[in-house]
Amino acid sequence: MKRILFILLVAMYSFAVYAQQTAKDYIGTWKYEKEDTVFTIRLIKGEAFYKGKPKAEIDEELIFGGYSLSVKNKMVENYITDINTKWVYENINGGEQHIYIYGACNTRYKGKKGIGFKFYDQRMKHFNGEGIWGGTLEPIGPNKLHWTLNEKEGIWWETEGLEDWVEVKPIGFSVPTDVIMTKVDE
């Protein structure tokens, strides 16, 4: 009986932790460092607009971001400052809007851990600069975030239902694809 009670308490605690997940869990500056490589992302809360008017995102909090990559103390990619807080649907390309990471924290699906995002890699220019889905941000502690990019999944999402999907080949990313990041600033 004690064992069953213990399992129920652990399960209820786990569900309560995940149910409280909001955009606030992602907002801030996150950094990954290994040897001479420093990869940083900055995530902010954003809004969407369509034809000049706010577009209501039912049960979603939009998260926008930018990134930077430094190798051997030399800045290789620097798209972390001047991130736009407004997404204009008439202009789809995130990079042109100074939004390089586009995700949505869905508050309806309680218990879902992590969010998916679209990444606008400014060097690799997936799908002619229109970005690629297949990114995941998953909190793994109070100030730890698991960043992943899955190009094959992203290609599938972008080409689903298209007849020429087989012709799209992976081109890679200019940033790390599977790292644990630490929060360095709110």
Side-chain angles (χ1 to χ4, degrees):
M1 182 68 176
K2 288 182 183 178
R3 187 176 191 182
I4 292 172
L5 183 59
F6 176 73
I7 291 171
L8 285 173
L9 286 173
V10 169
M12 286 183 354
Y13 173 76
S14 297
F15 292 136
V17 169
Y18 295 140
Q20 296 171 4
Q21 186 173 313
T22 66
K24 292 177 193 173
D25 298 320
Y26 302 93
I27 302 304
T29 303
W30 303 81
K31 187 182 284 189
Y32 163 77
E33 294 183 69
K34 185 174 182 183
E35 297 171 7
D36 62 353
T37 301
V38 179
F39 173 55
T40 308
I41 63 172
R42 189 172 130 230
L43 303 173
I44 60 174
K45 196 167 179 183
E47 297 177 274
F49 290 83
Y50 182 69
K51 294 186 178 181
K53 296 181 181 174
K55 184 175 183 309
E57 297 288 340
I58 300 170
D59 299 324
E60 288 185 335
E61 297 174 299
L62 297 180
I63 298 171
F64 301 155
Y67 67 98
S68 69
L69 180 68
S70 166
V71 180
K72 295 182 182 177
N73 291 325
K74 182 181 178 197
M75 189 61 70
V76 180
E77 306 281 337
N78 191 8
Y79 303 99
I80 200 162
T81 58
D82 208 21
I83 303 165
N84 198 346
T85 60
K86 295 175 177 34
W87 178 272
V88 180
Y89 274 98
E90 292 90 315
N91 181 4
I92 302 298
N93 188 323
E96 292 173 0
Q97 297 189 62
H98 298 278
I99 298 170
Y100 309 98
I101 299 167
Y102 174 96
C105 187
N106 193 315
T107 58
R108 178 187 298 174
Y109 301 111
K110 303 295 185 201
K112 181 183 177 202
K113 190 173 180 184
I115 61 170
F117 66 90
K118 191 169 194 175
F119 182 60
Y120 295 87
D121 190 323
Q122 295 302 289
R123 189 179 333 160
M124 301 310 289
K125 302 279 187 191
H126 294 88
F127 297 96
N128 296 319
E130 293 183 22
I132 186 168
W133 289 101
T136 305
L137 296 168
E138 182 180 346
I140 56 174
N143 59 347
K144 297 283 185 191
L145 190 66
H146 187 192
W147 160 280
T148 56
L149 291 171
N150 183 329
E151 190 172 16
K152 288 182 181 179
E153 182 180 321
I155 290 171
W156 182 85
W157 279 109
E158 295 294 330
T159 60
E160 179 186 17
L162 300 177
E163 293 178 14
D164 62 347
W165 70 271
V166 178
E167 297 175 16
V168 178
K169 302 288 184 207
I171 58 174
F173 291 100
S174 66
V175 299
T177 59
D178 191 351
V179 295
I180 305 298
M181 306 186 85
T182 303
K183 193 169 198 174
V184 293
D185 194 16
E186 292 294 324

